[in-house]
PDB file of all heavy atoms in Angstrom:
ATOM      1  N   ARG A  49      -1.322 -18.570  -9.435  1.00  0.00           N
ATOM      2  CA  ARG A  49      -1.329 -18.037 -10.834  1.00  0.00           C
ATOM      3  C   ARG A  49      -0.261 -18.662 -11.675  1.00  0.00           C
ATOM      4  O   ARG A  49       0.879 -18.729 -11.260  1.00  0.00           O
ATOM      5  CB  ARG A  49      -1.125 -16.529 -10.677  1.00  0.00           C
ATOM      6  CG  ARG A  49      -1.137 -15.758 -12.006  1.00  0.00           C
ATOM      7  CD  ARG A  49      -0.955 -14.310 -11.755  1.00  0.00           C
ATOM      8  NE  ARG A  49      -1.056 -13.471 -12.929  1.00  0.00           N
ATOM      9  CZ  ARG A  49      -0.050 -12.819 -13.496  1.00  0.00           C
ATOM     10  NH1 ARG A  49       1.064 -12.722 -12.909  1.00  0.00           N
ATOM     11  NH2 ARG A  49      -0.433 -12.154 -14.637  1.00  0.00           N
ATOM     12  N   HIS A  50      -0.653 -19.113 -12.898  1.00  0.00           N
ATOM     13  CA  HIS A  50       0.220 -19.694 -13.891  1.00  0.00           C
ATOM     14  C   HIS A  50       1.081 -20.828 -13.206  1.00  0.00           C
ATOM     15  O   HIS A  50       2.268 -20.918 -13.428  1.00  0.00           O
ATOM     16  CB  HIS A  50       1.147 -18.633 -14.462  1.00  0.00           C
ATOM     17  CG  HIS A  50       0.419 -17.585 -15.179  1.00  0.00           C
ATOM     18  ND1 HIS A  50      -0.407 -17.843 -16.266  1.00  0.00           N
ATOM     19  CD2 HIS A  50       0.368 -16.322 -14.913  1.00  0.00           C
ATOM     20  CE1 HIS A  50      -0.847 -16.678 -16.692  1.00  0.00           C
ATOM     21  NE2 HIS A  50      -0.543 -15.683 -15.914  1.00  0.00           N
ATOM     22  N   GLY A  51       0.358 -21.682 -12.483  1.00  0.00           N
ATOM     23  CA  GLY A  51       1.063 -22.850 -11.899  1.00  0.00           C
ATOM     24  C   GLY A  51       1.912 -22.616 -10.666  1.00  0.00           C
ATOM     25  O   GLY A  51       2.654 -23.482 -10.247  1.00  0.00           O
ATOM     26  N   ARG A  52       1.875 -21.451 -10.142  1.00  0.00           N
ATOM     27  CA  ARG A  52       2.782 -21.135  -8.944  1.00  0.00           C
ATOM     28  C   ARG A  52       1.946 -20.445  -7.888  1.00  0.00           C
ATOM     29  O   ARG A  52       1.012 -19.651  -8.195  1.00  0.00           O
ATOM     30  CB  ARG A  52       3.947 -20.232  -9.353  1.00  0.00           C
ATOM     31  CG  ARG A  52       5.011 -20.765 -10.121  1.00  0.00           C
ATOM     32  CD  ARG A  52       6.110 -19.877 -10.321  1.00  0.00           C
ATOM     33  NE  ARG A  52       6.574 -19.425  -9.058  1.00  0.00           N
ATOM     34  CZ  ARG A  52       7.147 -18.235  -8.814  1.00  0.00           C
ATOM     35  NH1 ARG A  52       7.341 -17.310  -9.729  1.00  0.00           N
ATOM     36  NH2 ARG A  52       7.582 -17.862  -7.594  1.00  0.00           N
ATOM     37  N   TYR A  53       2.304 -20.553  -6.695  1.00  0.00           N
ATOM     38  CA  TYR A  53       1.856 -19.740  -5.591  1.00  0.00           C
ATOM     39  C   TYR A  53       2.564 -18.484  -5.367  1.00  0.00           C
ATOM     40  O   TYR A  53       3.789 -18.494  -5.473  1.00  0.00           O
ATOM     41  CB  TYR A  53       1.687 -20.595  -4.264  1.00  0.00           C
ATOM     42  CG  TYR A  53       0.658 -21.668  -4.270  1.00  0.00           C
ATOM     43  CD1 TYR A  53       1.027 -22.991  -4.532  1.00  0.00           C
ATOM     44  CD2 TYR A  53      -0.591 -21.355  -3.947  1.00  0.00           C
ATOM     45  CE1 TYR A  53      -0.027 -24.014  -4.567  1.00  0.00           C
ATOM     46  CE2 TYR A  53      -1.637 -22.312  -3.991  1.00  0.00           C
ATOM     47  CZ  TYR A  53      -1.352 -23.580  -4.216  1.00  0.00           C
ATOM     48  OH  TYR A  53      -2.312 -24.585  -4.212  1.00  0.00           O
ATOM     49  N   HIS A  54       1.825 -17.410  -4.998  1.00  0.00           N
ATOM     50  CA  HIS A  54       2.404 -16.119  -4.754  1.00  0.00           C
ATOM     51  C   HIS A  54       1.870 -15.593  -3.504  1.00  0.00           C
ATOM     52  O   HIS A  54       0.809 -15.733  -3.155  1.00  0.00           O
ATOM     53  CB  HIS A  54       2.139 -15.108  -5.864  1.00  0.00           C
ATOM     54  CG  HIS A  54       2.668 -15.548  -7.184  1.00  0.00           C
ATOM     55  ND1 HIS A  54       3.990 -15.353  -7.604  1.00  0.00           N
ATOM     56  CD2 HIS A  54       2.091 -16.329  -8.256  1.00  0.00           C
ATOM     57  CE1 HIS A  54       4.097 -15.820  -8.747  1.00  0.00           C
ATOM     58  NE2 HIS A  54       2.943 -16.394  -9.180  1.00  0.00           N
ATOM     59  N   ASP A  55       2.763 -14.822  -2.719  1.00  0.00           N
ATOM     60  CA  ASP A  55       2.302 -14.109  -1.604  1.00  0.00           C
ATOM     61  C   ASP A  55       1.583 -12.911  -2.008  1.00  0.00           C
ATOM     62  O   ASP A  55       1.860 -12.248  -2.943  1.00  0.00           O
ATOM     63  CB  ASP A  55       3.501 -13.669  -0.729  1.00  0.00           C
ATOM     64  CG  ASP A  55       4.216 -14.840  -0.044  1.00  0.00           C
ATOM     65  OD1 ASP A  55       3.728 -15.958  -0.048  1.00  0.00           O
ATOM     66  OD2 ASP A  55       5.375 -14.656   0.341  1.00  0.00           O
ATOM     67  N   VAL A  56       0.619 -12.523  -1.081  1.00  0.00           N
ATOM     68  CA  VAL A  56      -0.156 -11.299  -1.382  1.00  0.00           C
ATOM     69  C   VAL A  56       0.112 -10.377  -0.087  1.00  0.00           C
ATOM     70  O   VAL A  56      -0.063 -10.704   0.994  1.00  0.00           O
ATOM     71  CB  VAL A  56      -1.765 -11.550  -1.297  1.00  0.00           C
ATOM     72  CG1 VAL A  56      -2.481 -10.292  -1.519  1.00  0.00           C
ATOM     73  CG2 VAL A  56      -2.103 -12.643  -2.387  1.00  0.00           C
ATOM     74  N   HIS A  57       0.822  -9.370  -0.479  1.00  0.00           N
ATOM     75  CA  HIS A  57       1.283  -8.357   0.598  1.00  0.00           C
ATOM     76  C   HIS A  57       0.163  -7.345   0.911  1.00  0.00           C
ATOM     77  O   HIS A  57      -0.533  -6.909   0.077  1.00  0.00           O
ATOM     78  CB  HIS A  57       2.570  -7.608   0.155  1.00  0.00           C
ATOM     79  CG  HIS A  57       3.664  -8.486  -0.046  1.00  0.00           C
ATOM     80  ND1 HIS A  57       4.520  -8.836   0.951  1.00  0.00           N
ATOM     81  CD2 HIS A  57       4.276  -9.071  -1.178  1.00  0.00           C
ATOM     82  CE1 HIS A  57       5.413  -9.643   0.544  1.00  0.00           C
ATOM     83  NE2 HIS A  57       5.221  -9.807  -0.775  1.00  0.00           N
ATOM     84  N   ILE A  58       0.064  -7.094   2.258  1.00  0.00           N
ATOM     85  CA  ILE A  58      -0.918  -6.172   2.773  1.00  0.00           C
ATOM     86  C   ILE A  58      -0.229  -4.981   3.110  1.00  0.00           C
ATOM     87  O   ILE A  58       0.733  -4.995   3.899  1.00  0.00           O
ATOM     88  CB  ILE A  58      -1.678  -6.698   3.887  1.00  0.00           C
ATOM     89  CG1 ILE A  58      -2.349  -8.079   3.589  1.00  0.00           C
ATOM     90  CG2 ILE A  58      -2.730  -5.706   4.519  1.00  0.00           C
ATOM     91  CD1 ILE A  58      -2.777  -8.845   4.760  1.00  0.00           C
ATOM     92  N   MET A  59      -0.553  -3.763   2.570  1.00  0.00           N
ATOM     93  CA  MET A  59       0.104  -2.532   2.867  1.00  0.00           C
ATOM     94  C   MET A  59      -0.965  -1.522   3.342  1.00  0.00           C
ATOM     95  O   MET A  59      -2.132  -1.587   2.912  1.00  0.00           O
ATOM     96  CB  MET A  59       0.810  -2.008   1.669  1.00  0.00           C
ATOM     97  CG  MET A  59       1.915  -2.932   1.140  1.00  0.00           C
ATOM     98  SD  MET A  59       2.778  -2.292  -0.327  1.00  0.00           S
ATOM     99  CE  MET A  59       3.872  -1.136   0.537  1.00  0.00           C
ATOM    100  N   GLY A  60      -0.577  -0.553   4.164  1.00  0.00           N
ATOM    101  CA  GLY A  60      -1.523   0.372   4.645  1.00  0.00           C
ATOM    102  C   GLY A  60      -0.832   1.699   5.002  1.00  0.00           C
ATOM    103  O   GLY A  60       0.399   1.744   5.154  1.00  0.00           O
ATOM    104  N   ILE A  61      -1.646   2.742   5.092  1.00  0.00           N
ATOM    105  CA  ILE A  61      -1.201   4.082   5.443  1.00  0.00           C
ATOM    106  C   ILE A  61      -2.317   4.664   6.339  1.00  0.00           C
ATOM    107  O   ILE A  61      -3.452   4.526   6.016  1.00  0.00           O
ATOM    108  CB  ILE A  61      -0.797   4.898   4.271  1.00  0.00           C
ATOM    109  CG1 ILE A  61      -0.140   6.259   4.702  1.00  0.00           C
ATOM    110  CG2 ILE A  61      -1.923   5.169   3.292  1.00  0.00           C
ATOM    111  CD1 ILE A  61       0.469   7.046   3.558  1.00  0.00           C
ATOM    112  N   LEU A  62      -1.907   5.417   7.339  1.00  0.00           N
ATOM    113  CA  LEU A  62      -2.854   6.160   8.180  1.00  0.00           C
ATOM    114  C   LEU A  62      -2.800   7.641   7.741  1.00  0.00           C
ATOM    115  O   LEU A  62      -1.896   8.100   7.234  1.00  0.00           O
ATOM    116  CB  LEU A  62      -2.391   6.053   9.626  1.00  0.00           C
ATOM    117  CG  LEU A  62      -2.352   4.628  10.231  1.00  0.00           C
ATOM    118  CD1 LEU A  62      -1.811   4.668  11.598  1.00  0.00           C
ATOM    119  CD2 LEU A  62      -3.631   3.886  10.093  1.00  0.00           C
ATOM    120  N   SER A  63      -3.942   8.302   8.126  1.00  0.00           N
ATOM    121  CA  SER A  63      -4.060   9.739   7.673  1.00  0.00           C
ATOM    122  C   SER A  63      -2.956  10.555   8.177  1.00  0.00           C
ATOM    123  O   SER A  63      -2.401  11.380   7.445  1.00  0.00           O
ATOM    124  CB  SER A  63      -5.407  10.284   8.097  1.00  0.00           C
ATOM    125  OG  SER A  63      -5.580  10.214   9.435  1.00  0.00           O
ATOM    126  N   ASP A  64      -2.486  10.442   9.499  1.00  0.00           N
ATOM    127  CA  ASP A  64      -1.464  11.219  10.022  1.00  0.00           C
ATOM    128  C   ASP A  64      -0.140  10.929   9.354  1.00  0.00           C
ATOM    129  O   ASP A  64       0.677  11.918   9.139  1.00  0.00           O
ATOM    130  CB  ASP A  64      -1.401  11.122  11.536  1.00  0.00           C
ATOM    131  CG  ASP A  64      -1.134   9.686  12.003  1.00  0.00           C
ATOM    132  OD1 ASP A  64      -1.402   8.679  11.322  1.00  0.00           O
ATOM    133  OD2 ASP A  64      -0.681   9.595  13.192  1.00  0.00           O
ATOM    134  N   GLU A  65       0.142   9.686   8.955  1.00  0.00           N
ATOM    135  CA  GLU A  65       1.383   9.329   8.266  1.00  0.00           C
ATOM    136  C   GLU A  65       1.357  10.048   6.916  1.00  0.00           C
ATOM    137  O   GLU A  65       2.343  10.531   6.394  1.00  0.00           O
ATOM    138  CB  GLU A  65       1.529   7.818   8.072  1.00  0.00           C
ATOM    139  CG  GLU A  65       1.594   7.159   9.338  1.00  0.00           C
ATOM    140  CD  GLU A  65       1.521   5.605   9.258  1.00  0.00           C
ATOM    141  OE1 GLU A  65       0.883   5.089   8.276  1.00  0.00           O
ATOM    142  OE2 GLU A  65       1.948   4.946  10.127  1.00  0.00           O
ATOM    143  N   PHE A  66       0.208  10.016   6.213  1.00  0.00           N
ATOM    144  CA  PHE A  66       0.087  10.671   4.858  1.00  0.00           C
ATOM    145  C   PHE A  66       0.314  12.092   4.976  1.00  0.00           C
ATOM    146  O   PHE A  66       1.182  12.675   4.257  1.00  0.00           O
ATOM    147  CB  PHE A  66      -1.247  10.397   4.227  1.00  0.00           C
ATOM    148  CG  PHE A  66      -1.504  11.257   2.974  1.00  0.00           C
ATOM    149  CD1 PHE A  66      -0.920  10.780   1.770  1.00  0.00           C
ATOM    150  CD2 PHE A  66      -2.251  12.334   3.008  1.00  0.00           C
ATOM    151  CE1 PHE A  66      -1.027  11.439   0.665  1.00  0.00           C
ATOM    152  CE2 PHE A  66      -2.413  13.087   1.813  1.00  0.00           C
ATOM    153  CZ  PHE A  66      -1.859  12.599   0.572  1.00  0.00           C
ATOM    154  N   PHE A  67      -0.382  12.792   5.958  1.00  0.00           N
ATOM    155  CA  PHE A  67      -0.178  14.300   6.037  1.00  0.00           C
ATOM    156  C   PHE A  67       1.258  14.676   6.415  1.00  0.00           C
ATOM    157  O   PHE A  67       1.758  15.691   6.102  1.00  0.00           O
ATOM    158  CB  PHE A  67      -1.225  14.924   6.961  1.00  0.00           C
ATOM    159  CG  PHE A  67      -2.602  14.901   6.250  1.00  0.00           C
ATOM    160  CD1 PHE A  67      -3.558  14.250   6.775  1.00  0.00           C
ATOM    161  CD2 PHE A  67      -2.807  15.618   5.062  1.00  0.00           C
ATOM    162  CE1 PHE A  67      -4.860  14.225   6.154  1.00  0.00           C
ATOM    163  CE2 PHE A  67      -4.082  15.630   4.423  1.00  0.00           C
ATOM    164  CZ  PHE A  67      -5.119  14.894   5.027  1.00  0.00           C
ATOM    165  N   ALA A  68       1.871  13.897   7.269  1.00  0.00           N
ATOM    166  CA  ALA A  68       3.236  14.118   7.754  1.00  0.00           C
ATOM    167  C   ALA A  68       4.206  14.033   6.590  1.00  0.00           C
ATOM    168  O   ALA A  68       5.316  14.742   6.635  1.00  0.00           O
ATOM    169  CB  ALA A  68       3.639  13.116   8.797  1.00  0.00           C
ATOM    170  N   SER A  69       3.917  13.138   5.584  1.00  0.00           N
ATOM    171  CA  SER A  69       4.938  13.039   4.487  1.00  0.00           C
ATOM    172  C   SER A  69       4.655  14.047   3.392  1.00  0.00           C
ATOM    173  O   SER A  69       5.474  14.126   2.395  1.00  0.00           O
ATOM    174  CB  SER A  69       4.679  11.629   3.816  1.00  0.00           C
ATOM    175  OG  SER A  69       3.451  11.584   3.111  1.00  0.00           O
ATOM    176  N   GLN A  70       3.694  14.957   3.498  1.00  0.00           N
ATOM    177  CA  GLN A  70       3.326  15.854   2.441  1.00  0.00           C
ATOM    178  C   GLN A  70       4.125  17.162   2.752  1.00  0.00           C
ATOM    179  O   GLN A  70       4.365  17.611   3.854  1.00  0.00           O
ATOM    180  CB  GLN A  70       1.946  16.281   2.420  1.00  0.00           C
ATOM    181  CG  GLN A  70       1.009  15.114   2.126  1.00  0.00           C
ATOM    182  CD  GLN A  70       1.329  14.412   0.727  1.00  0.00           C
ATOM    183  OE1 GLN A  70       1.310  15.100  -0.323  1.00  0.00           O
ATOM    184  NE2 GLN A  70       1.788  13.181   0.730  1.00  0.00           N
ATOM    185  N   PRO A  71       4.626  17.814   1.634  1.00  0.00           N
ATOM    186  CA  PRO A  71       5.354  19.125   1.758  1.00  0.00           C
ATOM    187  C   PRO A  71       4.363  20.146   2.373  1.00  0.00           C
ATOM    188  O   PRO A  71       3.180  20.158   1.942  1.00  0.00           O
ATOM    189  CB  PRO A  71       5.832  19.436   0.411  1.00  0.00           C
ATOM    190  CG  PRO A  71       5.012  18.622  -0.520  1.00  0.00           C
ATOM    191  CD  PRO A  71       4.536  17.408   0.221  1.00  0.00           C
TER     192      PRO A  71
END
Side-chain angles (χ1 to χ4, degrees):
R49 181 177 185 242
H50 301 297
R52 288 188 54 214
Y53 285 98
H54 298 275
D55 292 345
V56 180
H57 294 278
I58 303 164
M59 300 182 78
I61 188 171
L62 303 176
S63 61
D64 59 340
E65 295 168 342
F66 172 78
F67 288 118
S69 71
Q70 297 303 299

